[in-house]
Amino acid sequence: MVSAKAPGPQGDFPSNYREFVRFFPDDEACSRYLAGLRWQAGFLCPACKHLAPRPLRESRERFACPACQRQTSVTAGTVFDKTRTPLTTWFEAAWHVTTAKNGLSAKTLERTLGVRYRVAWVMLQRLRVAMVRAERERLSGEVEIDETFLGGPKPGGKRGRGAIKSLVLIAVEIKRPKGFGRVRMRHVPDASTAHLLPFVSDVVLPGSSVLTDGWKGYNGVAKRGYAHHRTILSSSGDPAHVLMPGVHRIASLLKRWVLGTHQGSVTPDHLQSYLEEFTFRFNRRTSRNRGLVFRWLLEQAVVSGPVTEDDVTGGYDW
Ligand SMILES: [Zn+2]
């Protein structure tokens, strides 16, 4: 499962770092590649609405409508909107984030690319916005849903600062006889019906089976068109992970990733964007060709609306 959209012709992405370097020697090569991804289905002029197979190339960054000559930039209205970071740096970041097994932190990216921490951090945040736009299809089949807490005092660490616990909703497709399909996650203020039901509706296709525990916050799931299977905690007091083994497993992978790759340095303001990156990675864990995932991330980055540095600074409004 790579994308709802069929991937482009094979061979138009690098499949290893050597090829990556050959593909993108300079900003012009990057800009041409983005133009190819952005206007694959043709160029619709925002000014005169003329539809052309492709825009005219004016300079490294600038393209123009063949009919009215109005100029446009390949990065305007994308996650690269108004960036001052060279495209070659962006491409390196996108390459590392998609090819490193567990991704990488802003700190590691700063060292790898030799850019300022702030630049690395902003690139990662903006790329995460492109990642979420991929996850539009709703889960189906058998879907386990539960809540988990993230954060809180680190083992052996001090309480107080950084000890805020965040509640995360997790939905995961359960495959029989074993295994998982895709996941979805959402950071919510509490586990009330007001947050649980919209999450179920947004991420699970009606008609699917929804598996939850007996928490009253899930009352109303059946009314929304799902086959609701509740496992009620027995008086013997089974531990929660026995009730929802799928969610329990995903939650422990998520916690390990946050503590490992990101050293636990995830604040509640930005938690959702980390959840999006985890989801993106998890849902593509079986995709053998990382180059294809790289191409696909760039494609998401240019086909959707603009994301600026200001948009991500205080925590992106998901
Ligand atoms: Zn035009």
Side-chain angles (χ1 to χ4, degrees):
M1 179 80 212
V2 169
S3 152
K5 196 162 171 283
Q10 298 292 315
D12 64 348
F13 51 84
S15 50
N16 55 50
Y17 190 66
R18 249 181 113 88
E19 282 182 28
F20 172 85
V21 172
R22 263 212 311 275
F23 259 65
F24 307 112
D26 50 31
D27 288 341
E28 179 161 348
C30 297
S31 147
R32 192 179 299 124
Y33 194 74
L34 288 184
L37 291 175
R38 186 169 185 183
W39 296 307
Q40 320 178 35
F43 172 79
L44 180 66
C45 175
C48 76
K49 308 295 173 206
H50 175 77
L51 181 68
R54 60 189 63 81
L56 302 171
R57 188 182 192 88
E58 297 282 303
S59 67
R60 192 199 297 169
E61 262 276 293
R62 311 294 298 178
F63 293 80
C65 168
C68 73
Q69 264 71 50
R70 183 180 179 272
Q71 290 206 349
T72 186
S73 126
V74 70
T75 54
T78 73
V79 306
F80 312 108
D81 208 40
K82 298 186 179 71
T83 182
R84 286 197 218 132
T85 306
L87 285 178
T88 45
T89 307
W90 271 105
F91 273 49
E92 285 262 355
W95 177 262
H96 291 300
V97 88
T98 47
T99 56
K101 187 166 180 288
N102 294 310
L104 69 183
S105 65
K107 196 81 198 146
T108 306
L109 192 62
E110 172 193 16
R111 278 199 302 269
T112 309
L113 301 186
V115 294
R116 282 183 301 119
Y117 176 80
R118 171 79 193 171
V119 170
W121 184 87
V122 168
M123 283 195 295
L124 286 179
Q125 290 293 98
R126 290 165 82 168
L127 288 174
R128 288 184 187 119
V129 175
M131 290 178 187
V132 67
R133 288 172 176 169
E135 313 293 330
R136 292 189 196 97
E137 266 180 60
R138 284 185 284 181
L139 307 183
S140 58
E142 243 178 278
V143 181
E144 230 180 66
I145 298 183
D146 206 354
E147 315 97 59
T148 190
F149 277 105
L150 210 65
K154 287 179 194 162
K158 281 185 215 140
R159 287 181 180 267
R161 212 171 149 249
I164 306 159
K165 281 195 169 197
S166 301
L167 188 64
V168 175
L169 304 181
I170 298 180
V172 55
E173 288 174 337
I174 303 298
K175 299 292 177 195
R176 304 290 176 188
K178 67 186 188 87
F180 303 125
R182 298 163 296 167
V183 301
R184 290 288 187 281
M185 299 182 171
R186 183 175 293 173
H187 178 204
V188 290
D190 60 66
S192 62
T193 303
H195 298 296
L196 293 176
L197 287 188
F199 177 67
V200 175
S201 299
D202 290 349
V203 307
V204 187
L205 204 61
S208 307
S209 295
V210 171
L211 286 62
T212 70
D213 60 22
W215 171 240
K216 61 177 165 44
Y218 293 107
N219 290 350
V221 165
K223 280 199 198 109
R224 297 219 170 182
Y226 302 96
H228 190 191
H229 303 281
R230 311 184 93 152
T231 309
I232 312 292
L233 190 68
S234 71
S235 50
S236 64
D238 297 328
H241 66 266
V242 179
L243 288 184
M244 296 295 142
V247 169
H248 181 78
R249 174 85 185 120
I250 303 304
S252 74
L253 289 172
L254 170 68
K255 286 168 191 177
R256 200 184 305 162
W257 180 72
V258 166
L259 287 174
T261 299
H262 301 288
Q263 275 94 53
S265 63
V266 175
T267 60
D269 278 355
H270 295 291
L271 175 58
Q272 187 64 38
S273 69
Y274 288 86
L275 299 180
E276 300 302 347
E277 180 178 349
F278 181 90
T279 299
F280 175 89
R281 298 187 167 287
F282 186 86
N283 291 351
R284 279 157 198 78
R285 67 200 180 282
T286 57
S287 175
R288 289 248 172 100
N289 197 328
R290 304 319 291 176
L292 183 58
V293 179
F294 161 79
R295 178 196 189 278
W296 182 85
L297 176 60
L298 289 184
E299 189 177 335
Q300 293 304 309
V302 291
V303 297
S304 19
V307 181
T308 62
E309 181 164 342
D310 285 349
D311 288 336
V312 297
T313 296
Y316 188 70
D317 183 12
W318 301 97

